[in-house]
């Protein structure tokens, strides 16, 4: 019976210590004093980071996009796995404004590292890839500056649970 009493006492002490961590209270008089470390933690909150994951399947082609949204900044990973074609995958960074993502995609394909612009439109639980208006002299896609004029692929990336 004594080992059970010891475990019960140890558990009670642990529960009390967990409830008191981080706050020092002085009950002298009618005022309550909170320690400086607790006050600092209350005033320095981290911005919420929104994680979102999407996939697109067209026949045997698959693509995935994993992104972290922090205010108007977006970072993440984009992967294209095309059936019987070279795949490419890499990281991106960019901005999101009015549900339009404008990204710089840094990827590896055929052993070569490249960077190109990509644009997506977020609509509910779907993400639509932008179609370039033209290509520059280096063959890189150029997108309309006016988001209302950008045309988008009709097959969406659909939201999936993030791994």
């Amino acid at each position: 019976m004594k080992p059970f009493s010891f475990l019960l006492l140890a558990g009670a002490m642990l529960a009390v210590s967990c409830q008191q961590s981080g706050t020092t209270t002085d009950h002298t008089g009618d005022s309550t004093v909170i320690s400086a470390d607790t006050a600092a933690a209350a005033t320095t909150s981290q911005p919420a980071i929104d994680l979102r994951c999407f996939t697109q399947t067209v026949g045997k082609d698959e693509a995935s996009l994993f992104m972290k949204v922090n205010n108007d900044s977006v970072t993440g990973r984009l992967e294209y796995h095309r059936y019987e074609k070279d795949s490419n995958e890499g990281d991106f960074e960019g901005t999101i404004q009015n549900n339009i993502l404008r990204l710089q995609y840094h990827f590896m394909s055929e052993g070569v590292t490249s960077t190109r612009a990509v644009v997506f439109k977020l609509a509910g639980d779907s993400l639509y890839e932008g179609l370039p208006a033209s290509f520059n002299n280096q063959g890189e896609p150029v997108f309309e500056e006016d988001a209302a004029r950008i045309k988008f692929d009709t097959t969406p990336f659909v939201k999936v649970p993030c791994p």
Side-chain angles (χ1 to χ4, degrees):
M1 189 70 171
K2 286 184 180 185
F4 178 75
S5 297
F6 176 74
L7 289 175
L8 184 61
L9 179 61
M13 288 174 52
L14 180 63
V16 169
S17 68
C18 287
Q19 290 176 353
Q20 292 180 353
S21 69
T23 305
T24 305
T25 306
D26 179 7
H27 292 288
T28 58
D30 291 335
S31 65
T32 301
V33 177
I34 299 175
S35 68
D37 63 332
T38 303
T43 59
T44 57
S45 62
Q46 295 292 331
I49 296 177
D50 185 13
L51 300 175
R52 300 181 195 180
C53 300
F54 298 86
T55 61
Q56 178 193 59
T57 303
V58 179
K60 293 183 179 182
D61 295 341
E62 294 182 359
S64 301
L65 183 139
F66 311 97
M67 69 177 172
K68 295 178 188 176
V69 179
N70 186 354
N71 297 320
D72 64 347
S73 178
V74 182
T75 59
R77 183 150 187 86
L78 180 57
E79 301 177 359
Y80 294 99
H81 299 282
R82 305 298 187 204
Y83 182 71
E84 294 185 349
K85 294 182 184 174
D86 290 322
S87 296
N88 62 71
E89 52 187 65
D91 299 320
F92 63 79
E93 75 276 338
T95 60
I96 181 169
Q97 293 178 334
N98 299 321
N99 292 325
I100 301 294
L101 289 79
R102 292 185 181 268
L103 311 171
Q104 287 298 308
Y105 174 44
H106 312 282
F107 63 97
M108 175 79 73
S109 180
E110 297 182 22
V112 177
T113 302
S114 303
T115 298
R116 70 177 170 94
V118 290
V119 174
F120 288 91
K121 175 176 69 173
L122 184 60
D125 286 345
S126 298
L127 193 66
Y128 296 87
E129 188 165 7
L131 303 173
S134 62
F135 293 87
N136 66 17
N137 293 340
Q138 290 79 33
E140 298 167 347
V142 176
F143 294 92
E144 296 283 350
E145 288 297 319
D146 180 3
R149 296 182 59 183
I150 300 173
K151 294 183 177 161
F152 293 91
D153 190 354
T154 57
T155 304
F157 284 65
V158 294
K159 190 172 185 180
V160 295
C162 292

